[in-house]
Amino acid sequence: MVLAPPLSYVRLMTTTLHIEHPITDFATWRSAFDAFAQARATAGVIAERICRPVDDDRYIVVGLDFGSTDEASAFRSFLQTAVWSSPANAPALAAPPRTMILASAT
């Protein structure tokens, strides 16, 4: 019988689109974020994390995991051209987002 390694030893190769920016209001931001759930799924997002600094309720940090760098890059382009460029699509955006595409370090 062959046993799988413990989960802590299994590493999935993922690429993360890291996004951070100030917001005007979390409820408004969350509503806009949720409106693009289907776009994230279609783009290949396999996991997402939303974090807020403990000392700044008007700042957001998002991690979107993809299976490839190309998927992450394409979705970042979509956000830049179709979402963040439109106040109607990003009503709580208080300043331009800072983004970076991160790969797992092994």
Side-chain angles (χ1 to χ4, degrees), residues 4-5 9-11 16 20-21 31 33-34 36-37 39 47 61-62 73 75-76 79 81 83 86-87 95:
Y9 291 106
V10 176
R11 290 197 176 132
T16 300
E20 59 180 84
H21 59 84
S31 179
F33 180 83
D34 290 346
F36 286 94
V61 177
V62 177
S73 181
F75 194 67
R76 177 171 60 184
L79 291 172
T81 60
V83 180
S86 167

Side-chain angles (χ1 to χ4, degrees), residues 15 17 66 68-78 80 101:
T15 300
L17 173 56
F66 294 85
S68 74
T69 301
D70 289 343
E71 289 175 327
S73 181
F75 194 67
R76 177 171 60 184
S77 293
F78 165 76
Q80 291 168 332
I101 296 175

Side-chain angles (χ1 to χ4, degrees), residues 1 10 30 32-33 35-38 42 48 52 54 59 64 68 76 83 91 99 105:
M1 173 190 275
V10 176
R30 184 61 197 235
F33 180 83
F36 286 94
Q38 185 59 48
T42 300
E48 58 187 51
R52 295 166 71 185
V54 296
Y59 202 84
L64 302 175
S68 74
R76 177 171 60 184
V83 180
T99 67

Side-chain angles (χ1 to χ4, degrees), residues 2-17:
V2 176
L3 298 176
L7 190 54
S8 62
Y9 291 106
V10 176
R11 290 197 176 132
L12 298 176
M13 297 305 293
T14 59
T15 300
T16 300
L17 173 56

